[in-house]
Amino acid sequence: MKESYITTAIPYVNGKPHLGHAMDYLLADTLRRYMMYCGKKVRLQAGTDEHGNKIFKKATEQGIPTQEFVNQNATKFQDFIHSLGVEYTDFIRTTNPDHERRCQAIWAKLSNHIYKDKYEGWYCEGCEGYVTDKEYEDNHGECPDHKKPYIKLSEENYYLRISDFKNRIRDAIESDELKITPTFRKKEFLNLLKDMPDVSISRPKEQVQWGIPVPGDENQVMYVWIDALSNYITVLGYPDEDISIDWPAHTQIVGKDILRFHAGIWPAMLLGLKLPLARNLLAHGFITVNGEKMSKSIGNVIDPQEILDKHGLAPFRYYFLRHASTTDDSDFTWDKYEAAYNELANDLGNLVQRLAALCKKNSIAGQKVEKRPNHDFDSRMEKYEFNFAFDILWDGISELNKRIDAEKPWALAKTDPDKAKEVLVKLVADLLAINDRLSIFLPDISAKIAEIFTAKEIQPPVTPLFPKN
Ligand code: MSP
């Protein structure tokens, strides 16, 4: 069977994971679990982007050898991903010698589309990127993200001739051969593509030391994005191995800020390598805190561990998969987080507790899970509207709560015990059917619910699923 391959952006390891990093992983994990639910075999990559000046400078500031610094941080990212209940099949680190060697082979294969040229213009050290004269003027000479003045550069670099592939990329995106979700980002990118210049893909060694050497030129180091984008195929073994079982990827998941690299430079690289383009590119929005962009200078950066420590994993996944949009920006506040926790406790926690207690009282045995089609759910998932798909399950849960209240099996038990049993058996079957799909979003809670209602004797959990503090 052809595997379905899902990829996530590989974060820079110049610090520990922050809340924004969680989105890539949660969405990828949700898609993976959904595809597995549909019977597919899925491969999910994750990894760390470990080259570039920012990382080199951070390590130097801390007085730690750079390799040691990235080793420490890569471990923090792996632990973080696991703490989100996310299961990847492959983890790639860009300082891995196999990756480095494979990147050099990729460079050599692209040589027909690479040329050397002089760059004279503006540069942002924080972004590690060139800045057009227009951007320079619009931002009054200072990077809005890094609050640092742009510097003037004059240097010789290698360039990738994006112009060789522009038409082909535009056609692929317009026709949805490479489908960008959401559509407004697709439109935004197609506009950007029109004026996209050839990209500089190397840096002089005096400027950047911590990177992969350009093959055949000891004075140049690969631009970090060339090295980073290659991860999606080097992790599969390219070019040493045949990657056609996994590539093209089913879906590549990225944040909105890096869509242009994945929809522009990366397709150009793939076309240069004569590899097919990915089938889907999902650009998610940003997580803000109290309506503001998270930033160290504002001092509103939230450590995801703090949120996880508050009520455990399920509420974290619940909040960011149901109350955060898959494609738009979404806000986190502690108040909203507490409200979401109460929803979990009141809607789902109480339902499980009540129903299990009634089953126990009426000696209702557990049941097998019945697989039921749910076309509305599938259609939302297939459109990457995960939060709306989750809403469909929640509507089902609310419906069950209403049915218990309306049908009053506790009263029926006194007047018509057979009818009470019938009502309870049906409620359990319906809950199990919803719970089966709940495993896509809340795997640990769903497993507990399945255990309770498929057991020989149904027993309410000793401690509630979502205890009130
Ligand atoms: N190293 C590059 C990616 C290379 S992929 C070949 C990078 N790293 S990053 O650490 O800055 O970002 C990693 C991911 O986290 C990106 O998908 C980015 O969009 C996402 N996010 C960073 N901050 C975010 C929020 N505040 N909210 C949601 N996602 C955000 O870019």
Side-chain angles (χ1 to χ4, degrees):
M1 175 172 32
K2 195 168 162 66
E3 289 193 54
S4 296
Y5 181 41
I6 303 172
T7 72
T8 55
I10 54 172
Y12 296 120
V13 288
N14 50 356
K16 59 181 185 177
H18 64 68
L19 182 54
H21 290 136
M23 237 25 218
D24 275 344
Y25 302 128
L26 289 183
L27 297 176
D29 187 63
T30 300
L31 180 60
R32 172 170 180 264
R33 288 178 193 273
Y34 173 65
M35 283 162 63
M36 286 173 37
Y37 181 84
C38 298
K40 293 197 180 121
K41 212 171 157 197
V42 185
R43 196 161 172 178
L44 170 62
Q45 152 282 11
T48 38
D49 192 350
E50 305 189 356
H51 286 127
N53 258 358
K54 263 185 272 181
I55 289 170
F56 179 75
K57 281 190 184 154
K58 256 290 163 42
T60 313
E61 261 167 47
Q62 298 192 5
I64 308 173
T66 316
Q67 188 63 55
E68 207 175 292
F69 175 75
V70 295
N71 289 352
Q72 288 171 8
N73 281 338
T75 308
K76 287 181 198 156
F77 274 88
Q78 284 169 340
D79 292 347
F80 176 59
I81 299 172
H82 291 136
S83 74
L84 298 177
V86 173
E87 289 167 16
Y88 52 78
T89 54
D90 301 83
F91 196 88
I92 171 116
R93 296 183 51 192
T94 57
T95 57
N96 176 301
D98 279 338
H99 170 78
E100 297 190 346
R101 189 176 44 76
R102 287 170 180 159
C103 275
Q104 291 181 323
I106 288 174
W107 181 288
K109 277 174 177 280
L110 288 173
S111 58
N112 280 346
H113 306 282
I114 294 176
Y115 61 94
K116 211 168 184 184
D117 202 1
K118 193 157 185 157
Y119 174 79
E120 272 177 77
W122 301 105
Y123 182 78
C124 170
E125 285 181 302
C127 304
E128 295 188 33
Y130 298 113
V131 176
T132 60
D133 287 343
K134 181 162 187 327
E135 276 173 297
Y136 180 88
E137 274 166 33
D138 290 352
N139 298 327
H140 309 290
E142 187 184 274
C143 171
D145 292 335
H146 298 95
K147 309 273 177 245
K148 266 185 165 179
Y150 296 128
I151 57 167
K152 188 104 195 179
L153 269 194
S154 169
E155 60 185 30
E156 268 213 325
N157 290 328
Y158 289 99
Y159 283 79
L160 179 65
R161 213 180 285 112
I162 297 280
S163 42
D164 287 353
F165 309 105
K166 248 189 192 176
N167 289 344
R168 176 73 181 84
I169 295 173
R170 196 192 44 243
D171 289 350
I173 294 175
E174 274 175 351
S175 68
D176 285 347
E177 174 195 338
L178 166 60
K179 186 168 186 208
I180 299 179
T181 301
T183 315
F184 71 91
R185 296 246 173 261
K186 163 179 164 174
K187 290 192 183 134
E188 226 172 70
F189 178 75
L190 282 170
N191 258 330
L192 210 73
L193 183 67
K194 282 187 208 143
D195 309 314
M196 192 181 256
D198 288 351
V199 289
S200 159
I201 54 169
S202 73
R203 297 288 181 269
K205 218 171 197 164
E206 316 85 80
Q207 203 196 102
V208 178
Q209 310 165 38
W210 187 247
I212 304 178
V214 165
D217 187 340
E218 54 187 26
N219 297 318
Q220 294 267 330
V221 163
M222 282 183 206
Y223 175 41
V224 68
W225 272 98
I226 295 300
D227 153 16
L229 290 163
S230 301
N231 95 81
Y232 299 125
I233 51 176
T234 61
V235 71
L236 303 175
Y238 185 86
D240 305 329
E241 284 161 43
D242 173 11
I243 60 167
S244 59
I245 298 179
D246 299 298
W247 193 265
H250 178 283
T251 302
Q252 299 207 264
I253 297 176
V254 297
K256 63 177 185 181
D257 57 327
I258 58 170
L259 174 68
R260 64 205 167 100
F261 296 93
H262 288 81
I265 304 176
W266 177 228
M269 289 171 69
L270 288 167
L271 292 169
L273 296 169
K274 300 192 168 40
L275 287 173
L277 303 180
R279 295 209 294 269
N280 291 284
L281 198 43
L282 170 63
H284 62 76
F286 261 42
I287 301 293
T288 56
V289 171
N290 294 315
E292 284 191 282
K293 192 176 164 177
M294 257 186 290
S295 108
K296 281 193 189 138
S297 51
I298 302 175
N300 64 347
V301 179
I302 294 195
D303 182 347
Q305 195 56 49
E306 206 187 319
I307 308 178
L308 284 164
D309 288 345
K310 184 80 202 228
H311 297 297
L313 176 60
F316 189 102
R317 292 184 62 116
Y318 176 73
Y319 188 86
F320 290 104
L321 289 171
R322 179 159 182 246
H323 290 302
S325 153
T326 312
T327 48
D328 292 318
D329 289 352
S330 304
D331 196 40
F332 174 88
T333 71
W334 281 108
D335 283 350
K336 284 194 249 181
Y337 193 64
E338 287 308 315
Y341 183 73
N342 287 333
E343 249 165 48
L344 263 176
N346 295 338
D347 298 351
L348 184 60
N350 277 354
L351 171 66
V352 167
Q353 205 75 29
R354 261 168 111 192
L355 186 57
L358 284 163
C359 288
K360 185 176 179 198
K361 214 167 177 184
N362 292 279
S363 309
I364 306 289
Q367 304 175 27
K368 279 213 184 102
V369 181
E370 195 191 312
K371 297 270 173 205
R372 296 181 191 166
N374 187 332
H375 303 298
D376 292 343
F377 183 85
D378 288 342
S379 131
R380 291 294 195 177
M381 289 302 292
E382 272 148 31
K383 283 191 261 179
Y384 298 101
E385 294 172 344
F386 299 166
N387 54 315
F388 293 126
F390 204 159
D391 281 346
I392 292 175
L393 300 187
W394 220 258
D395 288 346
I397 288 164
S398 304
E399 198 58 41
L400 291 184
N401 276 315
K402 281 189 203 133
R403 247 167 65 196
I404 297 197
D405 290 343
E407 292 174 1
K408 298 186 177 50
W410 59 90
L412 270 181
K414 291 181 195 140
T415 53
D416 187 348
D418 286 346
K419 180 74 189 156
K421 280 193 177 166
E422 192 187 305
V423 163
L424 288 170
V425 166
K426 179 94 181 56
L427 283 165
V428 169
D430 293 351
L431 174 58
L432 280 172
I434 296 171
N435 186 57
D436 202 29
R437 284 188 178 80
L438 201 60
S439 64
I440 296 164
F441 302 102
L442 308 178
D444 51 348
I445 289 296
S446 167
K448 281 188 193 164
I449 295 175
E451 201 182 304
I452 295 168
F453 292 99
T454 59
K456 230 183 203 159
E457 286 170 21
I458 298 178
Q459 302 268 0
V462 182
T463 40
L465 296 182
F466 306 101
K468 290 267 167 81
N469 298 346

